[in-house]
Amino acid sequence: MRSLAVYTAEMDDLEAGIKELRAKLNNFELGKNSMGIVFAHADTDFQELANALQDEFGFPILGSSAMSMFTESDGYVTEGISLHVFTADDCTFVAGVTDEMDQDNYKAKIKSTYSRLEEELGEKPKVIITYAVKDAAVAGDEYVDILNDASGGVPIFGGFSSDNFLFSDCRIMVNREVRAAGMGMILVGGNTKPVLKCRFSVETTDFEEVVTEVEGNTVYKLGNRTLVDVVREAGVDLDSENLLSKFVGSPFLVTYKKPNGDEIELMRNLASINKEEGSGTFIGSVPKGAVVRLAMFSRKDVTKSVAEAIRSAVVDVSNEHEYIYTSAIITSCASRLMTFSSDTIVDEAKGYANIIPQNIRFSGMYSFGEFCPVVAENSKNSHNCFHNTTFTFIVL
């Protein structure tokens, strides 16, 4: 598989923007089968963009709105359109999108869309690349778990679309179809062996408790006390006007066991606090019996997680002699934008280019939650998971 990632800052005049993207791809020879991954600023007219891209290129294209992107050519960018084209003679790509989803139909929509695409692909895919618009009332894990069950454990990579923290302008697109509340996916089959990595790097505090009462992703009790009481005793100011922003810099490290005994560690951010009930609702699920640690991350932690993920992927790629790896996609947590200055993020994006091998083309986005498999340390089994505050990376 080969790829080329191109970028245009022109998002207002889409005709001019598409012409610029096409010009940058002029010397890139397409193979038998191709696909595109698009990240575009949330202010872009997605329906016009979807139609223009199909008119120009015609192959399957999956796109997501993004508050910010990182590009191979321009580094960290806050506006514009990134198009990453993948092509191969020995790989196949099929793309599709659910209808608009709600709390009553999202499970059925995700399952039926995957089943239709797998039948069209004609084989079990090697990887599912997917971006979705998150429903605030549905835990992020639900999207991953449903797709995991439908596919029988095929590796899942992607995340939730983002906007400028309005949480109302998120969009996804597949070919000519645009959704404000849907899930788009590309199934990749054929001769490929994707390498997927996720990393977070934090420092935990002395705060450590066990979840004893939980419903969905709302935790009521840690030990024999309410979540609110325990978090207050840990020194967190719960009277802040913007708790979401406060907890972005102080996420929770959650450790729990799967039914088969595999131990999983994930990062979780609080979305809201109910002081009357004493509960806290997390963006992702926090199972009963999980060990919860309050964590903090700094600029050096962000840099460390990026370096660890990419270097680990590079090692795996170098040890694989049957495949030639030329392409990478990054999905990283938007919490970094909320916590650090723009200078820090620019430095981080520049760091990608210094760590990623020069023969690998890459693109990426900052998301409202990441999808990527986790390897359980005690068994080395891989589990598809939903993440917060995590850097994720796929190499194809």
Side-chain angles (χ1 to χ4, degrees):
M1 190 183 302
R2 297 177 295 107
S3 79
L4 184 62
V6 294
Y7 165 79
T8 177
E10 184 55 75
M11 50 182 268
D12 296 322
D13 184 347
L14 287 179
E15 182 179 354
I18 298 299
K19 285 183 178 179
E20 182 181 348
L21 295 174
R22 166 55 81 183
K24 291 179 177 179
L25 287 164
N26 265 349
N27 295 324
F28 182 64
E29 184 177 351
L30 295 181
K32 182 179 178 181
N33 301 303
S34 301
M35 72 169 182
I37 301 293
V38 168
F39 303 122
H41 189 270
D43 289 343
T44 306
D45 185 325
F46 267 73
Q47 189 61 69
E48 184 182 351
L49 175 64
N51 289 336
L53 287 171
Q54 283 302 301
D55 289 344
E56 185 65 41
F57 298 105
F59 47 70
I61 295 176
L62 167 64
S64 172
S65 63
M67 64 172 64
S68 297
M69 297 155 275
F70 14 86
T71 68
E72 183 181 337
S73 59
D74 294 68
Y76 169 74
V77 294
T78 57
E79 295 186 346
I81 301 166
S82 164
L83 171 62
H84 198 156
V85 176
F86 302 75
T87 194
D89 292 330
D90 55 358
C91 294
T92 50
F93 315 102
V94 297
V97 62
T98 66
D99 294 331
E100 296 285 6
M101 301 191 304
D102 57 36
Q103 295 173 45
D104 296 324
N105 67 18
Y106 72 94
K107 294 181 181 180
K109 296 296 184 184
I110 293 172
K111 290 178 181 178
S112 63
T113 300
Y114 173 79
S115 297
R116 171 173 57 83
L117 293 178
E118 184 185 283
E119 184 176 357
E120 184 179 342
L121 187 68
E123 63 174 298
K124 184 71 71 173
K126 299 298 177 23
V127 68
I128 304 166
I129 301 173
T130 177
Y131 291 90
V133 180
K134 187 181 183 305
D135 186 321
V138 178
D141 308 72
E142 284 284 293
Y143 295 78
V144 177
D145 292 346
I146 293 165
L147 193 51
N148 178 75
D149 292 343
S151 68
V154 171
I156 299 168
F157 180 85
F160 288 118
S161 58
S162 60
D163 59 14
N164 292 328
F165 294 110
L166 298 174
F167 304 100
S168 59
D169 292 342
C170 296
R171 296 288 184 274
I172 54 129
M173 54 174 257
V174 172
N175 301 336
R176 295 184 187 275
E177 298 184 78
V178 177
R179 299 287 184 267
M183 187 175 201
M185 55 190 86
I186 286 184
L187 276 55
V188 182
N191 187 31
T192 184
K193 187 177 180 180
V195 173
L196 299 95
K197 299 289 180 178
C198 62
R199 289 289 189 277
F200 55 81
S201 180
V202 295
E203 296 178 4
T204 55
T205 67
D206 292 335
F207 172 103
E208 180 178 318
E209 294 288 347
V210 175
V211 177
T212 53
E213 186 177 334
V214 61
E215 183 177 340
N217 55 333
T218 299
V219 175
Y220 292 89
K221 285 192 175 181
L222 297 173
N224 59 4
R225 293 175 294 167
T226 68
L227 178 139
V228 167
D229 287 341
V230 173
V231 172
R232 272 206 175 107
E233 288 180 23
V236 179
D237 177 15
L238 298 183
D239 296 319
S240 171
E241 293 183 1
N242 190 348
L243 279 177
L244 177 61
S245 178
K246 176 175 286 293
F247 279 110
V248 161
S250 299
F252 293 79
L253 176 61
V254 176
T255 306
Y256 67 96
K257 287 188 177 180
K258 291 280 191 178
N260 67 351
D262 285 359
E263 189 170 88
I264 302 294
E265 275 195 340
L266 299 171
M267 298 305 301
R268 288 289 179 258
N269 286 111
L270 268 173
S272 63
I273 287 282
N274 187 319
K275 297 177 187 176
E276 292 184 4
E277 291 184 348
S279 66
T281 299
F282 288 82
I283 296 175
S285 65
V286 181
K288 185 176 181 179
V291 176
V292 176
R293 299 176 180 87
L294 184 62
M296 296 179 292
F297 70 99
S298 64
R299 177 174 178 171
K300 66 181 178 64
D301 293 320
V302 169
T303 304
K304 181 180 179 182
S305 64
V306 170
E308 286 180 352
I310 295 176
R311 285 171 181 157
S312 178
V314 168
V315 169
D316 285 2
V317 165
S318 64
N319 289 334
E320 180 57 66
H321 302 296
E322 295 183 19
Y323 301 88
I324 298 175
Y325 292 85
T326 63
S327 316
I329 308 170
I330 298 164
T331 310
S332 189
C333 187
S335 63
R336 300 171 188 236
L337 296 182
M338 295 176 70
T339 305
F340 302 108
S341 68
S342 59
D343 288 343
T344 301
I345 298 301
V346 169
D347 289 344
E348 179 188 357
K350 288 179 180 177
Y352 300 154
N354 295 330
I355 301 172
I356 298 174
Q358 292 184 355
N359 63 311
I360 292 181
R361 310 277 72 85
F362 70 91
S363 64
M365 67 169 286
Y366 285 99
S367 71
F368 285 158
E370 303 78 56
F371 310 157
C372 190
V374 169
V375 176
E377 286 296 326
N378 61 322
S379 69
K380 304 305 179 185
N381 292 327
S382 182
H383 299 267
N384 284 316
C385 290
F386 166 68
H387 304 267
N388 302 139
T389 318
T390 300
F391 176 89
T392 65
F393 187 72
I394 183 173
V395 189
L396 294 164

